[in-house]
């Protein structure tokens, strides 16, 4: 059936309006803000300048961008390594088991993000369950500091985002024609070779989607670094948060936000290119 | 005091962009305070006493409420709780209504010292609600040496390293460094600010965490043994563990005053004054002190409960004269930007 132009407009209108009103306009405002200066009491002095951007690329802040990217990248990679086998196993399980298994994967989302993150504090702190457990097992030394460092932040991010990656990869594996497994094995490929040469390349869009998803959510995250990093681990999300809520330097916060938005756009573009190429390859 | 409930602050991000409710009804006021900084039934009691409905709005930090007030010109709020330096800032922004002393007769209950504070002599634009100082809160059973200096926090002995938390709210973060160097907590010399910034970046390596909200529970659990704390919040730890002590370092410390101000934009100033007068009633203000465990600058109230509270919480016994020996925290004017920048750089340092 051919949809008329009017129908298209009516269908797409609300979504587009939503995006324009709640995404493009605020982003535009933030962009404009980034060229002004903070007033003495936190207001905005309307003096046009590029100072905020110059400051945003100062090594001090650039380092935070790099550090955030490193933490987010590590989280994405570890999440992928955990999620891929899980998604693969779910997709190869008997069909009637798949829904319950997926359900289990997303079960953590039934509780609040903060509570799940706080739970890690209870587990990891110097007097926490893990240290108490070590003591019961005969560990005699000083309690181990597992909290308030980069590792704890990566752990918190991985834990919270793994389910998304499982879903992304699961959907990309189940989209494959089941006969390609047979075909590959009929042609003499080992199981490993089948996976490595046939399945893996065709799930690249799912992998890319999962990776970008975790990366983008992680690099802007400020709750996990705040709680599990104890304020000592600053990521760019915390930096932006602080500019708006404690430093009251909205223009600088706006400039930092835009640098971050720029990075995310590049990544999403790359992911789209990758997904497109994979699809094109499938057709050819 | 500064209940840095970041979670609340997160949702407030949207609000700070200038959307603010309006309080139109004749007999209702909106009061913004830190979470948990007044008894939970305060508004019910106020309603019972005066017939005025009071709605409580919460702010997590001085900075957050400043953002809301400057963005909306104060609209939507009648009485706001802010710390003393911000009284000066709000005054300079011309957002405050003068306090009508005739409508707040209970002002007479304040200590003479609390009626003549340098940021607002004569309580013309603000009324002190609670006051105190900042110092070190520690587990006497877990520290080997005597804790008595800001350097115990900034350059700790090996057994303390990694078991320390500091406040990250910028004025108090900077104050710890300024006092350790022998400078004023209101020092505006850029060279001093840089020196203190570097000192605090070095100190970061020995911290367990920055913590403005739950430091006392870290002491109770033993996760931390020495924390940078406001006196009243140390009391929350003392309540749970008798080995927790509070000390004002020998280099001295700041005097902070949390105040109540009435917004110029308030459409119901009489009810706002009535609320302030209600708080200053000796019985009510005494109930506040017992509830939040901070000293209140109300002589009549402290005469009622100060002695009993000081038995359990020694810092509740600090006299106004002792508090006056501390350095009053003031607005920094233009130098505020340097402080903000320095604290951003400290937090950002690796």
């Amino acid at each position: 059936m051919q949809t008329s132009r009017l129908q298209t407009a009516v269908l797409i209108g609300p979504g587009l309006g939503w995006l324009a009103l709640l995404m493009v306009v605020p982003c535009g405002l933030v962009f404009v803000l980034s060229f002004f200066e903070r007033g003495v009491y936190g207001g905005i002095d309307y003096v046009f300048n590029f100072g905020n951007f110059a400051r945003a690329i100062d090594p001090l802040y650039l380092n935070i961008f790099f550090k955030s990217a490193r933490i987010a990248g590590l989280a994405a990679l570890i999440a992928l390594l955990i999620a891929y086998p899980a998604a693969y196993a779910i997709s190869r399980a008997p069909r009637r088991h798949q829904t319950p298994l997926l359900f289990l994967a997303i079960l953590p989302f039934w509780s609040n993000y903060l509570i799940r993150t706080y739970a890690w504090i209870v587990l990891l702190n110097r007097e926490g369950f893990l240290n108490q457990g070590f003591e019961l097992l005969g560990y005699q030394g000083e309690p181990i500091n597992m909290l308030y460092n980069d590792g704890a932040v990566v752990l918190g991010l991985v834990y919270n985002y793994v389910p998304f990656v499982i879903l992304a990869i699961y959907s990309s594996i189940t989209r494959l024609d089941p006969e390609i497994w047979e075909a590959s094995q009929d042609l003499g490929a080992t199981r490993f070779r089948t996976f490595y040469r046939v399945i893996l390349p065709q799930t690249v869009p799912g992998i890319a989607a999962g990776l970008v998803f975790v990366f983008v959510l992680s690099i802007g995250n400020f709750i996990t670094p705040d709680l599990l990093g104890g304020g000592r681990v600053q990521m760019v999300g915390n930096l932006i948060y602080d500019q708006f809520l404690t430093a009251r330097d909205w223009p600088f916060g706006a400039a930092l936000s835009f640098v971050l938005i720029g990075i995310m756009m590049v990544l999403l573009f790359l992911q789209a290119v990758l997904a497109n190429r994979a699809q094109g390859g499938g057709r050819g | 005091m500064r209940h840095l409930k970041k979670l609340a602050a997160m949702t407030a991000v949207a609000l700070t962009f200038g959307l603010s409710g309006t309080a139109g009804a004749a007999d209702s006021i909106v009061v913004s305070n830190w979470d948990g900084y007044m008894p939970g039934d305060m508004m019910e009691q106020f309603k019972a006493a005066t017939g005025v409905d009071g709605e409580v709005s919460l702010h997590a930090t001085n900075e957050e409420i400043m953002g809301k007030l400057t963005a909306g010109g104060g609209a939507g709020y009648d009485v706001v709780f802010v710390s003393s330096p911000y009284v000066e800032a709000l005054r300079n922004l011309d957002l405050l209504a003068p306090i009508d002393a005739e409508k707040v007769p209970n002002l007479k209950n304040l200590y003479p010292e609390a009626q003549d504070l340098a940021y607002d002599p004569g309580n013309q634009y603000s009324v002190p609600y609670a006051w105190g100082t900042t110092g070190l809160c520690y587990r006497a059973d877990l520290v080997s040496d005597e804790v008595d200096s800001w350097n115990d926090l900034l350059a700790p002995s090996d057994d303390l390293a990694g078991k320390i938390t500091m406040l990250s709210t910028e004025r108090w973060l900077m104050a710890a460094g300024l006092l350790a160097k022998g400078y004023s907590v209101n020092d505006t010399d850029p060279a001093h600010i840089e020196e203190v910034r570097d000192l605090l970046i070095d100190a970061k390596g020995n911290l367990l965490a920055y913590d403005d909200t739950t430091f006392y529970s870290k002491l109770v659990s033993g996760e931390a043994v020495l924390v940078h704390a406001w006196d009243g919040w140390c009391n929350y730890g003392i309540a749970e563990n008798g080995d927790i002590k509070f000390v004002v370092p020998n280099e001295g410390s700041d005097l902070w005053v949390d105040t109540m101000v009435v917004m110029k934009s308030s459409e119901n100033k009489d009810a706002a004054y009535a609320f302030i007068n209600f708080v200053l009633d000796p019985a009510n203000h005494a109930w506040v002190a017992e509830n939040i465990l901070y000293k209140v600058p109300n002589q009549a109230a402290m005469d009622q409960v100060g002695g009993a509270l000081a038995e359990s919480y020694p810092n509740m016994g600090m006299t106004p004269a002792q508090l006056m020996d501390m350095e009053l925290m003031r607005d920094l004017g233009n130098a505020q930007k340097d402080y903000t920048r320095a604290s951003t750089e400290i937090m950002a340092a690796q």
Side-chain angles (χ1 to χ4, degrees):
Chain A
M1 195 187 87
Q2 196 78 32
T3 19
S4 75
R5 231 176 233 202
L6 181 69
Q7 259 177 320
T8 311
V10 167
L11 290 173
I12 212 169
L16 216 56
W18 175 272
L19 264 182
L21 199 68
L22 295 173
M23 165 96 189
V24 179
V25 172
C27 279
L29 287 175
V30 171
F31 188 62
V32 170
L33 206 60
S34 64
F35 293 103
F36 296 118
E37 263 175 27
R38 173 194 196 266
V40 175
Y41 294 114
I44 293 146
D45 284 349
Y46 292 94
V47 188
F48 187 88
N49 70 90
F50 292 98
N52 294 311
F53 286 97
R55 189 177 163 203
I57 57 167
D58 178 284
L60 179 74
Y61 302 113
L62 267 190
N63 254 334
I64 293 196
F65 275 104
F66 289 137
K67 184 178 181 179
S68 309
R70 205 177 62 228
I71 289 177
L74 204 59
L77 217 60
I78 297 174
L80 175 69
L81 291 178
I82 295 172
Y84 201 105
Y88 189 83
I90 294 174
S91 71
R92 301 296 281 163
R95 189 145 276 286
R96 69 198 152 83
H97 290 164
Q98 292 191 8
T99 309
L101 285 170
L102 282 176
F103 174 79
L104 286 177
I106 59 162
L107 197 61
F109 290 125
W110 285 32
S111 70
N112 182 286
Y113 185 98
L114 281 169
I115 293 174
R116 281 180 278 141
T117 306
Y118 261 107
W120 282 108
I121 297 184
V122 176
L123 284 172
L124 297 179
N125 81 61
R126 281 171 54 87
E127 307 293 324
F129 286 155
L130 276 182
N131 270 313
Q132 287 174 10
F134 294 155
E135 220 168 285
L136 283 178
L137 292 173
Y139 176 73
Q140 304 266 317
E142 272 275 297
I144 304 164
N145 278 323
M146 289 173 283
L147 199 55
Y148 310 128
N149 51 42
D150 292 3
V153 176
V154 171
L155 176 69
L157 294 170
V158 168
Y159 165 70
N160 274 305
Y161 296 140
V162 151
F164 291 118
V165 188
I166 293 181
L167 290 180
I169 293 171
Y170 170 81
S171 84
S172 122
I173 297 178
T174 48
R175 228 177 280 150
L176 300 181
D177 190 333
E179 286 173 6
I180 64 170
W181 265 274
E182 288 170 31
S184 170
Q185 274 166 15
D186 284 351
L187 292 170
T190 60
R191 282 167 162 233
F192 178 74
R193 205 173 161 81
T194 301
F195 171 73
Y196 183 70
R197 296 294 300 271
V198 180
I199 309 301
L200 190 62
Q202 297 199 60
T203 52
V204 163
I207 294 174
L211 282 177
V212 168
F213 202 84
V214 178
F215 187 87
V216 167
L217 285 181
S218 297
I219 200 170
N221 192 309
F222 57 92
I223 304 171
T224 301
D226 197 56
L227 293 177
L228 300 182
R232 293 179 59 214
V233 180
Q234 271 233 334
M235 287 178 59
V236 61
N238 305 83
L239 191 59
I240 294 171
Y241 171 93
D242 284 346
Q243 294 313 306
F244 280 96
L245 275 163
T246 62
R248 279 176 295 139
D249 193 342
W250 291 12
F252 183 48
L256 289 169
S257 303
F258 257 85
V259 175
L260 185 60
I261 289 172
I263 294 174
M264 299 214 187
M265 273 164 72
V266 169
L267 280 171
L268 290 171
F269 178 75
L270 284 178
Q271 187 225 337
V273 168
L274 218 60
N276 226 355
R277 191 181 295 168
Q279 262 178 9
R283 252 181 250 125
Chain B
M1 60 167 155
R2 282 136 282 268
H3 290 217
L4 243 165
K5 289 266 163 74
K6 290 208 168 176
L7 319 179
M10 288 161 203
T11 53
V13 172
L15 294 174
T16 48
F17 280 93
L19 307 164
S20 47
T22 47
D27 278 303
S28 74
I29 53 168
V30 176
V31 176
S32 191
N33 196 354
W34 288 278
D35 195 3
Y37 204 40
M38 61 184 176
D41 62 351
M42 194 77 164
M43 288 304 163
E44 284 163 44
Q45 305 259 7
F46 175 56
K47 165 106 176 164
T50 63
V52 178
D53 274 318
E55 185 194 324
V56 180
S57 150
L58 298 174
H59 53 262
T61 59
N62 279 305
E63 290 85 355
E64 182 198 337
I65 188 65
M66 284 297 288
K68 289 183 187 177
L69 296 176
T70 49
Y77 296 97
D78 298 286
V79 178
V80 175
F81 286 68
V82 288
S83 301
S84 46
Y86 298 90
V87 172
E88 292 177 86
L90 288 169
R91 176 78 194 100
N92 289 335
L93 290 166
D94 197 25
L95 290 175
L96 299 184
I99 300 294
D100 186 340
E102 280 181 23
K103 290 176 179 149
V104 192
N106 282 336
L107 278 170
K108 67 175 190 304
N109 294 332
L110 292 173
Y111 286 111
E113 290 88 344
Q115 298 186 30
D116 194 31
L117 292 158
Y119 62 87
D120 182 25
N123 306 123
Q124 289 187 297
Y125 288 91
S126 65
V127 177
Y129 170 73
W131 60 359
T133 186
T134 315
L136 305 175
C137 185
Y138 63 99
R139 281 281 292 265
D141 56 333
L142 297 179
V143 299
S144 39
D145 298 329
E146 200 177 349
V147 172
D148 58 6
S149 162
W150 287 107
N151 287 313
D152 292 323
L153 188 73
L154 302 178
S157 55
D158 288 344
D159 60 325
L160 294 182
K163 299 174 191 168
I164 293 174
T165 74
M166 278 187 80
L167 300 171
S168 65
T169 311
E170 68 190 23
R171 288 302 302 271
W172 286 274
L173 171 65
M174 292 295 287
L178 289 163
L179 290 162
K181 287 276 179 194
Y183 302 141
S184 153
V185 296
N186 302 309
D187 199 321
T188 56
D189 181 339
H192 289 175
I193 293 172
E194 274 185 31
E195 189 183 345
V196 165
R197 177 198 64 193
D198 294 343
L199 173 69
L200 291 171
I201 288 174
D202 286 342
K204 196 174 172 180
N206 289 316
L207 296 184
L208 173 69
Y210 288 104
D211 192 337
D212 302 81
T213 44
T214 59
F215 45 82
Y216 56 91
S217 51
K218 289 196 171 84
L219 273 188
V220 172
S221 77
E223 238 187 305
V225 297
L226 170 65
V227 303
H228 181 200
W230 292 296
D231 42 6
W233 270 23
C234 187
N235 290 338
Y236 295 9
I238 295 172
E240 291 184 47
N241 184 328
D243 286 321
I244 294 176
K245 309 281 181 218
F246 178 81
V247 65
V248 176
N250 52 31
E251 296 92 345
S253 189
D254 69 300
L255 163 64
W256 54 260
V257 184
D258 287 341
T259 73
M260 300 175 279
V261 295
V262 175
M263 301 314 294
K264 195 177 191 178
S265 60
S266 165
E267 288 166 14
N268 210 346
K269 296 196 178 68
D270 284 353
Y273 298 134
F275 175 76
I276 291 175
N277 197 51
F278 175 80
V279 171
L280 292 182
D281 175 86
N284 294 336
H285 221 163
W287 169 228
V288 167
E290 290 179 313
N291 204 277
I292 65 173
L293 298 180
Y294 277 94
K295 291 176 277 295
V296 297
N298 187 317
Q299 185 157 16
M302 289 305 273
D303 283 350
Q304 285 183 21
V305 294
L309 285 171
E311 276 180 29
S312 312
Y313 311 103
N315 70 57
M316 292 296 283
M318 284 178 85
T319 63
Q322 285 173 312
L323 284 172
M324 288 304 135
D325 283 342
M326 312 290 167
E327 192 187 7
L328 184 62
M329 201 172 262
R330 300 292 303 270
D331 180 47
L332 300 166
N334 266 319
Q336 180 61 48
K337 284 186 184 181
D338 298 333
Y339 272 53
T340 299
R341 194 171 184 129
S343 69
T344 299
E345 288 174 0
I346 294 162
M347 300 314 283
Q350 305 289 307

